[in-house]
Amino acid sequence: METTIVKNVRPWGGAAIDVTIAAGRITGLGPATVWNDAKVIDGAGAILLPGFVEAHTHLDKTLYGMAWHPNNVGSTLVEKITNERDSKSRLGLDPARQSARQVALSVAHGTTHIRSHVDIDTEHGLKGVLGVMETREKYADVIDLEIVAFPQSGMLIRQGTKELMDEALALGAEVVGGLDPCSMDLDPKNHLDVVFGLAEKHGKPIDIHLHELGELGAFSMRLIIDRTRAHAMSGKVTVSHAFCLGHNDYLAVGRLLEQLAEAGIAIMTTGPAGYPCPPLIRTLDAGITVCSGSDGIRDCWSPYGNADMLERAIFLGMRNDLDRDADLRRAVEVVTTGGATVMGIEGYGLGIGDVADLVLIEGETLAEAVVSRRNRPLVMKRGKVVARDDAALFATE
Ligand SMILES: [Zn+2]
């Protein structure tokens, strides 16, 4: 059995130790005895974290690596969705090729797990899902990838979408997606009936995009909370974006946070600059699991994004006015353990017996490494080195 020893690394920026790895798992923490056949890596005093968890992105539709796409899309959600659906074929967007490119970018920056929403609609069918499944299989050695069957163009307003969702879940998509029950399908009750019905039928968790603002969003949120309780799905439902929690009504937001915590619903926030969003520390303090993600990277919606979850921690920090070192650590926990909890990742962490999905980050302290967006000298997946110095060690098309 091959043993690897990563010498002189600082878990979460603490005291330096050596990490011993065998059969893809952590077998020792502390001063390591180096045996003749052990492979030794010098950590050079870098900060050690478990691999980043990209808990919300859209691998199937990134344009990363393609020619620059001049964006002149309208500002409403429906305009963006329609433009994207119409542009995919014209641009020659290949979901397998594109998802692989983004996986390489993610791994280069230290991500070891990805939850990707993947579009399902009656125009493109399961093309996206099949493409991302191809990437999931081909790159299984470097990334763990979870697919959310996502009705981006609406579930009920496009007849046949529900059946395609059912098919995707039967094929192996891990999570049931949903989208703005009021403003997209204009039929919140039936939209959520389908989402929770599919989750029950396939025994899978739920992750719903909820962009609806203010009272409308709060209304949808309460429906999601009621159903989560009724279906006994505590710990299995995530609400992504949840802009309504950025509503300017302190008491109303507090009541929603209490109900979300009690129902065991997780929240995903990207820390967006242009929208109201969940107050991070208040949400965490309510006992809610929070994860984060890049959302779409360089796609027909937005030209931004680089799949760097350390940079995402900066955005969370800036959006939420996190200045204290302890609060920046909480932002890092969101992009690591928060995502791992939401995705139910087995053996995640830096303990003995945990899977050796690891990232090394240069830096004086964890907070300094975040705000300076320090380099990642090494990334490991199941004990194997998959990236060095912010570059993936594998090629994509
Ligand atoms: Zn999204």
Side-chain angles (χ1 to χ4, degrees), residues 56 58 209 241 295:
H56 186 120
H58 295 262
H209 277 66
H241 301 304
D295 208 2

Side-chain angles (χ1 to χ4, degrees), residues 192-209:
L192 293 174
D193 277 349
V194 173
V195 170
F196 280 82
L198 286 169
E200 189 159 64
K201 178 180 172 187
H202 294 275
K204 293 186 173 172
I206 290 170
D207 193 332
I208 300 178
H209 277 66

Side-chain angles (χ1 to χ4, degrees), residues 4-323:
T4 303
I5 298 167
V6 188
K7 289 194 78 69
N8 188 20
V9 289
R10 294 178 294 136
W12 295 91
I17 58 159
D18 302 334
V19 181
T20 306
I21 297 161
R25 290 191 183 252
I26 297 171
T27 55
L29 296 165
T33 314
V34 179
W35 301 91
N36 286 342
D37 57 348
K39 186 177 152 196
V40 178
I41 296 170
D42 180 11
I47 296 165
L48 171 72
L49 293 182
F52 292 124
V53 180
E54 163 73 85
H56 186 120
T57 189
H58 295 262
L59 290 177
D60 57 313
K61 49 192 187 182
T62 180
L63 302 173
Y64 181 76
M66 294 171 67
W68 181 256
H69 171 67
N71 186 326
N72 52 14
V73 69
S75 60
T76 70
L77 203 63
V78 172
E79 279 172 315
K80 286 179 194 280
I81 291 168
T82 308
N83 169 64
E84 178 177 69
R85 201 176 53 244
D86 295 346
S87 301
K88 279 180 180 170
S89 308
R90 189 170 43 81
L91 294 171
L93 203 156
D94 175 347
R97 181 193 65 209
Q98 291 308 111
S99 54
R101 285 178 179 173
Q102 190 177 323
V103 162
L105 194 60
S106 289
V107 170
H109 294 313
T111 290
T112 53
H113 299 80
I114 298 177
R115 170 179 279 189
S116 176
H117 297 252
V118 181
D119 286 5
I120 290 173
D121 64 56
T122 49
E123 201 173 318
H124 301 284
L126 298 181
K127 206 176 153 198
V129 169
L130 295 172
V132 178
M133 281 180 173
E134 200 180 313
T135 292
R136 180 170 67 181
E137 206 181 306
K138 197 169 167 189
Y139 296 91
D141 285 352
V142 298
I143 196 84
D144 281 316
L145 212 165
E146 188 176 81
I147 294 171
V148 185
F150 178 48
Q152 173 77 84
S153 293
M155 186 94 78
L156 309 172
I157 49 170
R158 294 176 76 89
Q159 288 281 315
T161 305
K162 186 175 117 182
E163 290 71 17
L164 287 166
M165 290 278 292
D166 191 40
E167 208 182 321
L169 293 160
L171 278 172
E174 286 89 351
V175 185
V176 185
L179 172 73
D180 294 330
C182 292
S183 56
M184 195 65 202
D185 272 344
L186 310 176
D187 189 348
K189 182 192 174 295
N190 283 317
H191 179 90
L192 293 174
D193 277 349
V194 173
V195 170
F196 280 82
L198 286 169
E200 189 159 64
K201 178 180 172 187
H202 294 275
K204 293 186 173 172
I206 290 170
D207 193 332
I208 300 178
H209 277 66
L210 187 61
H211 308 94
E212 291 162 4
L213 300 167
E215 266 310 317
L216 185 64
F219 171 74
S220 290
M221 188 74 98
R222 283 192 291 271
L223 294 182
I224 294 167
I225 292 167
D226 288 347
R227 272 154 210 270
T228 302
R229 286 187 182 131
H231 287 253
M233 284 191 70
S234 174
K236 295 193 162 58
V237 176
T238 303
V239 176
S240 282
H241 301 304
F243 293 153
C244 61
L245 293 176
H247 193 38
N248 189 22
D249 183 331
Y250 193 83
L251 292 176
V253 168
R255 278 193 293 273
L256 271 181
L257 290 174
E258 271 172 33
Q259 290 168 13
L260 286 165
E262 194 267 322
I265 296 174
I267 294 294
M268 189 301 297
T269 180
T270 63
Y275 290 95
C277 67
L280 184 62
I281 297 299
R282 198 175 169 208
T283 305
L284 289 168
D285 283 348
I288 295 168
T289 300
V290 181
C291 61
S292 188
S294 305
D295 208 2
I297 288 173
R298 286 207 193 182
D299 56 18
C300 292
W301 291 59
S302 156
Y304 300 107
N306 59 7
D308 185 347
M309 295 304 290
L310 191 64
E311 184 175 272
R312 186 58 47 188
I314 299 180
F315 294 155
L316 292 170
M318 292 179 79
R319 184 68 175 87
N320 290 280
D321 196 21
L322 309 185
D323 297 329

